Every structure is written in structure tokens, then in C-alpha cells.
Amino acid sequence: MNQLDILVPFALPPAELARDLLRQSKAPSLAMLLGRGKATPLQSHDPFSRALPHEHWLARRFGLPPTPQDSSPAAAAALMQGLGHAPAAGHWFVLHPAHIHVARDHLVLTDIGQLQLEEEESQRLFAAALPLFTEIGHELVYGDARTWFIRADAWAGLRTSTPSAASGRNVDIWMPEGPGELAWRKLQNEVQMQWFAEALNEQREMRGQKAINSIWIWGGADAGASASAQHGYGARFGLRGWMRAFGDGAQAGQANANESQVNDILRGDGHRLLVLDALAEAALAEEWGLWLQHLEHLDREWLAPLLVALRADTLGAVNLVLTGSDRLVEVAVTRGALRRFWRKPSLALLAERCA
């Protein structure tokens, strides 16, 4: 069947804000899809889970191996492969250069997507940190400006949190626990001290950017733990950030969709995946006015032309996967469902609470 799954992280705003936000929202294409489609029961997720609902969904969909109880998805090896590395052995973790700031009485992790870290800057920080890893026998591998990897065989079983799950929150709750916990904290502190003296951070702050003053670890996986080939997707679009672990599908732009990009998504038959993550940065920063703007832009630039394709039978079916910080819902829409004129377009589903 010619089907497109559309994953939209952070489409479900916090329940206490949702109704007020949606009263201000203008997203007619999304309202049509939600109003006419068939929704699964709203799924509740633990708000203190070490990964967000869309991250759990992707890990299951792409068959990442099981992780220790309540740990982040085992994405490191698959992501290394997506960035051109092929670890032959060992247990690996993802590392992100990060910014942690002091709130009134605790430390808070900033969304790594906001850091605007350039390649040359990241290479300098990597070179400064490398001797600290080498000295204690840990291999450190450079992936890209935002993504490095550490081999730590003795830390297998360490429970870690994704940066999205921890962003904007008290980091003490989300810090690693288990084998290697103390060794990690010691290494993290040494890197923080090393970078404190880096002129690079002073230069960043003079430009109004946040200092890179820490590192974040997650995604532990054995070297052979790649994503499953049985996910069923013939093509994947919009795989950015750590989602590159799930293949090098066409990187659909997240801002301005154009006719060519939409046609690439619609071309051919089979089951495809499109990830639209334009809401993530605003949601993690709790900038809900900006979130509304991005929702309306997403509706106009992406969902409107895809709705036209569904009506024209270019698409056989659309499955929307909408998530928030602690909820997930799937909505199946077919061309026939759009004929249900007695069902009014509505965004009410975005404000529903779990029973």
C-alpha cells in the first residue's frame, strides 16, 4: 500500500496549555486530518522516562536492541554507522558537547540544538578533550560537530538519558546511573575544567552564544547493534540529528518545503516515513508563541500539499504519529475517510488528556 507515516515530535503541547494554544492556532490541514481520521487511544508515557515518546517509538520501529530498564535507546553503534564509522568491537556511547547553566537551585541542560556549534569549534574542543580520554584508556571518535562517541566496555548497563528528555530540567534527575557512573562523572568534571580555560568559549560568549562547558552521554550499545532492516520503509525523509541512525534517507528540509521535496516524498509506491521536527526547539525552550508559528508553518508548507495528494489518491493513506513530552497518539487517514463530511475538522485531539 502507498502509505506515508508522518512523525511530528512535540505536536502535543502540555495538557495545561493545550486548549489555550489551540484556540489561537490556524492549522486547517492538520485539523482536517485529525477530524476525519481514526485515532488510536492516547498513550501515556512516564514523564520521568529517560527518553521521550517519539524516541521510544523510533527505537521500536527500527528494532534497536533492548536497553537496561529505563535507559535511553541503544543508538550509538547505528549512529556511528550513519556518520561513516563502523566499530568492530566494544560498547559505545554517544557524546554531545553541551551547555549546562545554573538555575536558582540546580543545574539545567540547554537543548543541544540551540548551541550553533561550528565544525571548527567542535574540532578544537575535541582536540582539547582527547588526552583526558586517552589517559584513562577510552577511545574517543569524532562524528560531526554535535556528535562524538566514546568506547567504554566496562560501562555496559549504564542507564542514561537522551538530551531531549533532560533539556530544560534539573540534570541531577537525568544523570547516568549504574556501572561506570562515578567514572563518568569524574571524566565529565575533568572535561568541564579543561574547557573552562578555552578561549573559544570566551569568543562564543562575546558573540552572544552559549559556552560549551560540558558533555552529555547517552545511547550505549554494543558495536554490532545496528538498526533492524525489517522496519518496512522503502524510503525515509527528515532524519536529522541522532535519527540518522535509521538510515541515510533523503534529508527533507524542515523549514521551507518546495514542490521538488514534496514530489520526492510522493514518488514511488510502498511504505515511507517523514519526520517533521520543526516544533522541537520551541517546545524544549517552552517558547509557545514560537511553537504556534512553527505549527502553522508546518501545516502550510508540508501538511497542506500532502493532504492534496491524499485527496488526489497520489497517497493511499497517511498515518500521523503525534507526540508530546509524555503522550503519543496515532491517527490513520485514508482518501475515503476525507469524505466523512459530517465529521468536522478539529484540533481537539491535540489537547486531549490520557484517562
Side-chain angles (χ1 to χ4, degrees), residues 281-349:
E281 185 172 324
L284 288 171
E286 298 185 336
E287 295 180 358
W288 298 109
L290 185 59
W291 180 90
L292 278 173
Q293 294 178 32
H294 288 322
L295 179 67
E296 293 169 6
H297 195 270
L298 181 152
D299 187 86
R300 181 175 63 253
E301 297 291 332
W302 288 102
L303 298 184
L306 293 172
L307 179 58
V308 169
L310 186 61
R311 283 179 167 142
D313 209 22
T314 306
L315 270 178
V318 164
N319 185 51
L320 285 170
V321 183
L322 310 176
T323 75
S325 61
D326 60 357
R327 293 172 295 153
L328 180 148
V329 66
E330 298 192 36
V331 183
V333 193
T334 63
R335 184 186 183 196
L338 294 177
R339 300 192 188 102
R340 299 171 183 167
F341 61 87
W342 59 91
R343 297 182 60 175
K344 295 182 179 180
S346 173
L347 296 175
L349 181 63

Side-chain angles (χ1 to χ4, degrees), residues 49 144 172 213 285 345:
S49 172
D144 64 17
D172 285 343
N213 60 10

Side-chain angles (χ1 to χ4, degrees), residues 47-62:
F48 293 101
S49 172
R50 290 181 176 270
L52 293 176
H54 73 276
E55 295 171 325
H56 285 301
W57 186 88
L58 284 164
R60 290 193 303 269
R61 194 71 180 82
F62 284 89

